[in-house]
Amino acid sequence: MLAVAIDESADDVRPWTDGITFPVLIDSEHLLSELYAMSNVPTVVWIDEDDRIVRPNGVAFGSDLFKEFTGVEAGPHNDLVRAWVRDGVEPRTTEGSDAAAIEDLSDDEVRARLHFRAAVHARRAGYTETAARHFARAGELAPHDFTIRRAMMPLVGDDPFGEKFFAFYEEWDRAGKPYNGLPGVTGDVTD
Amino acid sequence: MQATIVTDEIRTTAAVADGDRLLIDPAALPDALGWEWKPEGLCRDNVCVPVRDRAAVLVADKLDIGAVAAALGRLAVVDAPAGIAVIALAKELRREALEERHAPAFTLPDLDGVEHDLGQWSGKKKLLVTFASW
């Protein structure tokens, strides 16, 4: 297990890692959202001994805590992971299927990440208005990306579990719940 | 001013804001961006990217960071008045992940600030899980 927090500071992350013994890294620049084309958390990637991506960006949860909200059960993915770790069972790909293809980021989605990074640096330097401008531009360029829209909320003084989040969630829902990766594993192997 | 240049690393370097352009001394480019400005073009290790329109990049003996990024085929956000330039990672690295299904390397700190490479766990299966406090 290798956990990476797409978060601004270690202080925000530490409360969540009590009792955890596996490595927890912090990605304050959101490099992984660009490098691996991730648009939400949690995103799970299976990487084998030779650094091959065996199962790409997927939505999976370790528990059923948010099952009613997300529609994703933890059991099936956990079972698949165990089969992979214990017996080397890799996800099957349907012949000729594009089911496992992950779409690349558009230029606008990349630019959104660049504006987000610029905003983080401006904010750290105390340039609040400059930061606000770049956060806003990032949100315009990637309106359905959680690593942009939701991640900026605590950095601009909004509650990521409050009204602004639910308004964003409705937008995302109306747009067809786009996500850069595989849908959640509810009971079927998706690829 | 001291400008912040952000790629997969964060560097500060002396720079001049000229309207929308952020200009730096050519000698400062290797440290700021890891590339060198040479007659052959922009060079890094043993690779040189030819630059057709040198006049777009070299402006009165200074390098326009945004134009350097463009010459390297990288998207960039340059905020000259704020002294911040953010340059995208090479698209090929993401293609590695998405098309070639090879996990691109990264180096990130743990909560104690100690840097870790993905490569240090080669030879083991890894379940990479991203999460957030938001």
Side-chain angles (χ1 to χ4, degrees):
Chain A
M1 271 287 299
L2 172 58
V4 179
I6 313 293
D7 252 308
E8 166 64 1
S9 82
D11 290 340
D12 296 332
V13 180
R14 239 177 245 114
W16 298 93
T17 62
D18 226 25
I20 283 175
T21 54
F22 51 78
V24 179
L25 309 181
I26 184 162
D27 184 8
S28 57
E29 299 288 306
H30 291 210
L31 289 176
L32 294 192
S33 76
E34 189 184 340
L35 202 52
Y36 284 74
M38 297 175 174
S39 59
N40 199 355
V41 299
T43 295
V44 179
V45 183
W46 299 15
I47 301 169
D48 76 5
E49 295 89 333
D50 301 314
D51 289 341
R52 234 179 5 120
I53 294 178
V54 163
R55 188 178 190 275
N57 301 5
V59 178
F61 298 86
S63 78
D64 285 336
L65 187 61
F66 298 112
K67 180 175 74 172
E68 261 133 54
F69 195 69
T70 65
V72 182
E73 291 182 356
H77 180 262
N78 287 344
D79 289 342
L80 292 173
V81 171
R82 275 186 210 105
W84 173 50
V85 172
R86 289 188 191 144
D87 307 315
V89 177
E90 296 185 357
R92 289 161 287 125
T93 308
T94 314
E95 280 292 320
S97 163
D98 273 339
I102 308 294
E103 233 182 278
D104 197 359
L105 300 176
S106 67
D107 282 356
D108 275 356
E109 285 174 309
V110 175
R111 284 193 192 97
R113 283 154 175 73
L114 304 184
H115 277 286
F116 189 97
R117 240 169 252 154
V120 165
H121 283 274
R123 180 179 173 271
R124 279 189 206 146
Y127 302 144
T128 323
E129 276 179 44
T130 303
R133 213 172 3 94
H134 284 290
F135 278 130
R137 187 68 188 123
E140 283 167 12
L141 290 166
H144 304 124
D145 193 305
F146 284 67
T147 70
I148 302 287
R149 295 288 307 277
R150 194 176 193 190
M152 76 169 73
M153 287 176 191
L155 306 179
V156 296
D158 290 333
D159 179 3
F161 296 89
E163 261 182 53
K164 290 257 169 85
F165 168 65
F166 284 106
F168 156 67
Y169 189 89
E170 266 168 44
E171 266 183 71
W172 177 71
D173 192 36
R174 276 197 303 271
K177 298 191 175 179
Y179 169 73
N180 227 315
L182 306 176
V185 179
T186 54
D188 305 309
V189 176
T190 55
D191 75 342
Chain B
M1 58 158 69
Q2 278 293 112
T4 304
I5 314 294
V6 183
T7 53
D8 55 342
E9 300 197 0
I10 302 159
R11 294 269 185 265
T12 50
T13 188
V16 170
D18 175 26
D20 284 340
R21 299 189 297 195
L22 199 59
L23 307 175
I24 69 168
D25 201 285
L29 190 69
D31 188 56
L33 219 58
W35 290 79
E36 263 187 273
W37 176 249
K38 289 184 170 176
E40 302 91 287
L42 286 160
C43 304
R44 180 183 198 144
D45 302 324
N46 290 317
V47 177
C48 284
V49 176
V51 176
R52 230 166 275 139
D53 186 4
R54 290 176 74 86
V57 179
L58 189 69
V59 178
D61 297 332
K62 289 207 183 283
L63 296 175
D64 174 342
I65 291 270
V68 169
L72 293 173
R74 310 271 187 98
L75 295 171
V77 162
V78 178
D79 189 329
I84 298 171
V86 185
I87 297 167
L89 305 173
K91 214 177 153 108
E92 291 70 51
L93 296 175
R94 193 164 56 253
R95 198 173 51 80
E96 237 189 281
L98 302 179
E99 289 173 35
E100 289 165 40
R101 295 290 172 89
H102 184 265
F106 57 84
T107 302
L108 291 171
D110 63 24
L111 300 185
D112 298 316
V114 178
E115 301 272 350
H116 296 267
D117 292 329
L118 178 67
Q120 76 185 62
W121 294 290
S122 274
K124 288 187 155 190
K125 290 186 169 76
K126 297 157 284 278
L127 198 71
L128 171 65
V129 181
T130 60
F131 71 106
S133 67
W134 42 266

